[in-house]
Amino acid sequence: MKNLVILGAGTAGTMMASHLKKKLNISDWTITIVDQYKTHYYQPGFLFLPFDTYKPEDVKKTIDEFIPKGVKLVREKIDIIDKDSDTVVLENGTKLKYDILILATGTKTAPGEVEGMLGDYWYKTIFDFYTFEGALALRDKLKDWKGGKMVVHITEMPIKCPVAPLEFAFLADSFFLKKGMRDKVEITYVTPLSAAFTKEKSSAALGHLLKEKGIKIVPDFAVEHIDGEKGVIVDYGGDEVPFDLLVTIPTNMGDEVMLRSGFGDDLNYVPTDKNTLQTTVKENIFAIGDCTNVPASKAGSVAHFQAEILTENILLYIDGKELKPDFDGHANCFIETGHGKALLIDFNYDYEPVKGKFPFAGIGPLNLLTESRLNHWGKLAFRWIYWNMLLPARKLPFITPKMSKSGKNFD
Amino acid sequence: MEKVIAGKSVDVDTNGYLTDLSQWNKDIAIEIGNEEGINEVTPKHFEVLTYLQEQYKKDIALTIRGVGKSGVVDIKELYTLFPKGPLKISSKMAGIPRPKSCI
């Protein structure tokens, strides 16, 4: 009997368990998945919690219910990965020997990385919405906030779901308008990037939307510290941006088990081949989703596309064949723009998001990089797709792991 | 496209970043630095540029945090040397591609 071990039962890990359960011969392979937590959060839903459009119960299910029968779920913290002896050591001392290891430990916020972020003002005037707790604390704050300077802020890249901060700013505009207090709120978007987004064409479209909604942008701002008492964020160049309410995206970091095991980069991300998803740590260790250092978005859609390709590569690896360099960085994201509309972007390592139709050339029905109501409904429908199609690894019709160039206006 | 920098014709992208590091020399770095508002390009600047080029050759993605931990400069110094978008400006001067933020 051979052992395949998956570390992390979030989006990526659960999808891999579902795929491999279908593809691996169960008389030859034992599949084990390790996660210390009980709850599986629908993380894209965190964006809607502060505005009370999603309720806490909308984004929570148990991890157990998505682990396919025949896959062993171990609920325990991971201590260390010993790559030399092909063993994962758990905190309770249990040793799991593996023939193949898949890392899917994700990324999480590390607010302690910036001086002044955690402390007396955390969840009083400084909030995050990338955690369940943070999103709910912010919801309670917004309930009776009287207005003032709201700053939406990205600490440093890369972050999970890079469009979420923009969406938050758009939804905040919509939220305060509806409450009849938009004139009492000044929204500023502060980013370490040089524009609203890194890719040129979407930056233009999104920058235009910010302007339209009266949201000020402060680009090229790398925060050095936060002064909660004075209510300012200060960058390395000495520039200050004042706030009454700071909604920050803290530094995102990979799991500390990578640091303990000696193979993370300076943000604890695992060095991974960007096309095959085999790590450079050792040939029998693969990585998927947010835990890798590949230059793709840290997003569920990316993990979804990677999962199909990684499954194929694991089967090739088992057969002793050459891996396929098939992952092209494909990402597909809805961007909520407020007032019941959304944008859709589709891109990869080589092609930036452009206008066009998706998934059918010329027909759509979804419009790329253009606001529409249908895109918004697409975003809301995605929650159902996530629980019912993505996690059980059911094939999504018409959506391919590799990005399609048809239907797009590249010029 | 081609551009003449410091008397030498080099290949650059639409943002003015060199597309072939082998065409780079120190005078090019100085001229790009001047264009970007750095009037005096010091040996410390060149230390950073050399570090960036080494990382680029090793195919390591550059981040401000990474440079800050490199032992060459800390983040504060990096901002003093290359004010406003230090990684963008230093990469341009080093003759390597514009840093991609992972999105």
Side-chain angles (χ1 to χ4, degrees):
Chain A
M1 217 40 181
K2 290 189 170 181
N3 291 303
L4 184 141
V5 174
I6 303 169
L7 299 183
T11 309
T14 303
M15 287 192 294
M16 283 315 293
S18 300
H19 275 293
L20 290 167
K21 181 67 196 22
K22 293 176 193 172
K23 297 281 164 99
L24 287 183
N25 189 339
I26 45 164
S27 54
D28 295 342
W29 286 90
T30 304
I31 306 175
T32 306
I33 188 163
V34 184
D35 200 299
Q36 60 179 308
Y37 298 109
K38 277 187 180 168
T39 307
H40 187 127
Y41 289 106
Y42 174 61
Q43 296 178 66
F46 289 177
L47 173 68
F48 297 103
L49 290 176
F51 307 108
D52 218 14
T53 26
Y54 275 5
K55 305 292 174 197
E57 59 271 21
D58 293 334
V59 300
K60 278 175 84 167
K61 289 185 190 275
T62 61
I63 283 179
D64 304 45
E65 60 191 290
F66 298 100
I67 304 304
K69 268 207 183 96
V71 172
K72 193 176 161 200
L73 172 63
V74 177
R75 184 174 299 139
E76 185 61 45
K77 224 174 146 184
I78 304 152
D79 180 22
I80 202 167
I81 300 156
D82 180 8
K83 66 181 165 79
D84 297 323
S85 65
D86 299 323
T87 307
V88 176
V89 184
L90 304 180
E91 213 175 50
N92 65 5
T94 308
K95 290 183 175 173
L96 298 174
K97 283 285 281 180
Y98 60 81
D99 296 285
I100 295 174
L101 181 67
I102 299 174
L103 306 174
T105 43
T107 179
K108 57 188 168 203
T109 56
E113 289 290 304
V114 174
E115 189 197 322
M117 194 179 284
L118 282 178
D120 293 346
Y121 297 90
W122 186 241
Y123 291 178
K124 292 202 174 65
T125 53
I126 305 173
F127 294 83
D128 79 296
F129 68 94
Y130 268 47
T131 58
F132 185 65
E133 299 73 28
L136 290 181
L138 183 54
R139 176 197 64 183
D140 296 341
K141 174 78 180 183
L142 288 178
K143 259 179 202 161
D144 51 7
W145 192 50
K146 300 284 179 276
K149 293 183 172 70
M150 173 188 263
V151 171
V152 182
H153 166 248
I154 299 172
T155 302
E156 62 181 305
M157 300 300 286
I159 56 168
K160 179 153 43 185
C161 190
V163 293
L166 268 175
E167 295 182 277
F168 184 89
F170 294 148
L171 290 177
D173 165 71
S174 197
F175 175 81
F176 293 123
L177 257 176
K178 223 185 267 174
K179 275 187 119 181
M181 56 180 287
R182 183 64 182 89
D183 58 329
K184 294 190 178 61
V185 181
E186 193 183 302
I187 306 175
T188 308
Y189 188 78
V190 181
T191 169
L193 304 174
S194 302
F197 209 51
T198 44
K199 312 254 169 177
E200 219 174 312
K201 279 169 190 154
S202 39
S203 247
L206 294 164
H208 180 74
L209 278 172
L210 284 173
K211 209 172 166 188
E212 205 174 274
K213 293 171 193 296
I215 299 166
K216 202 178 125 196
I217 176 165
V218 178
D220 291 320
F221 189 99
V223 66
E224 198 239 333
H225 74 277
I226 298 172
D227 185 335
E229 194 182 342
K230 213 175 139 195
V232 289
I233 52 176
V234 185
D235 93 342
Y236 283 100
D239 290 345
E240 294 187 354
V241 175
F243 68 85
D244 297 306
L245 176 56
L246 177 66
V247 180
T248 189
I249 319 302
T251 302
N252 279 208
M253 290 178 86
D255 200 281
E256 281 185 3
V257 69
M258 302 312 160
L259 184 69
R260 290 196 294 272
S261 308
F263 47 73
D265 67 8
D266 54 9
L267 286 166
N268 300 338
Y269 295 125
V270 186
T272 305
D273 185 285
K274 69 175 189 172
N275 301 117
T276 64
L277 304 175
Q278 185 177 42
T279 68
T280 57
V281 177
K282 199 174 172 182
E283 60 164 26
N284 63 344
I285 305 181
F286 297 82
I288 177 167
D290 295 351
C291 74
T292 77
N293 75 338
V294 307
S297 283
K298 296 193 180 299
S301 67
V302 172
H304 163 71
F305 298 132
Q306 288 177 339
E308 295 194 22
I309 287 154
L310 181 56
T311 301
E312 207 178 324
N313 272 343
I314 298 249
L315 298 176
L316 288 170
Y317 176 78
I318 290 171
D319 289 344
K321 290 182 184 150
E322 203 181 324
L323 306 184
K324 285 189 182 166
D326 274 0
F327 182 62
D328 65 355
H330 189 190
N332 180 286
C333 315
F334 288 104
I335 306 174
E336 282 291 299
T337 54
H339 307 286
K341 290 184 182 175
L343 294 172
L344 177 64
I345 55 175
D346 193 64
F347 57 100
N348 69 8
Y349 289 140
D350 299 321
Y351 291 93
E352 64 170 306
V354 292
K355 291 195 179 187
K357 296 282 187 184
F358 186 85
F360 300 109
I363 299 168
L366 299 174
N367 287 307
L368 293 170
L369 205 53
T370 305
E371 272 190 296
S372 81
R373 287 193 186 278
L374 195 59
N375 287 340
H376 169 68
W377 291 113
K379 172 118 182 169
L380 295 187
F382 189 72
R383 184 159 57 105
W384 186 91
I385 293 173
Y386 180 83
W387 297 122
N388 295 286
M389 306 283 284
L390 292 198
L391 294 183
R394 297 202 173 100
K395 193 119 185 90
L396 287 186
F398 320 120
I399 315 268
T400 49
K402 284 195 189 187
M403 192 197 81
S404 159
K405 279 185 268 179
S406 72
K408 293 182 178 172
N409 314 328
F410 283 105
D411 287 315
Chain B
M1 58 181 161
E2 278 189 21
K3 189 180 173 187
V4 178
I5 305 175
K8 192 181 172 198
S9 178
V10 293
D11 297 311
V12 294
D13 69 9
T14 49
N15 293 309
Y17 286 72
L18 264 65
T19 51
D20 180 359
L21 180 55
S22 70
Q23 297 177 334
W24 181 89
N25 64 41
K26 286 194 165 189
D27 291 333
I28 291 176
I30 293 168
E31 187 162 316
I32 294 176
N34 292 344
E35 276 175 24
E36 294 288 338
I38 298 167
N39 297 324
E40 200 192 338
V41 182
T42 63
K44 195 73 199 170
H45 284 97
F46 279 109
E47 261 185 66
V48 176
L49 301 187
T50 306
Y51 170 77
L52 296 182
Q53 290 169 342
E54 283 165 5
Q55 297 299 101
Y56 170 70
K57 285 178 195 160
K58 284 188 246 167
D59 211 17
I60 295 172
L62 293 164
T63 60
I64 288 182
R65 170 185 285 262
V67 178
K69 283 188 179 172
S70 64
V72 179
V73 279
D74 64 23
I75 299 180
K76 198 111 194 161
E77 281 178 278
L78 185 68
Y79 269 80
T80 315
L81 292 170
F82 307 93
K84 285 281 148 199
L87 208 51
K88 271 187 309 179
I89 296 171
S90 55
S91 298
K92 196 170 185 178
M93 289 172 68
I96 62 174
R98 186 182 165 111
K100 277 186 197 159
S101 288
C102 308
I103 65 157

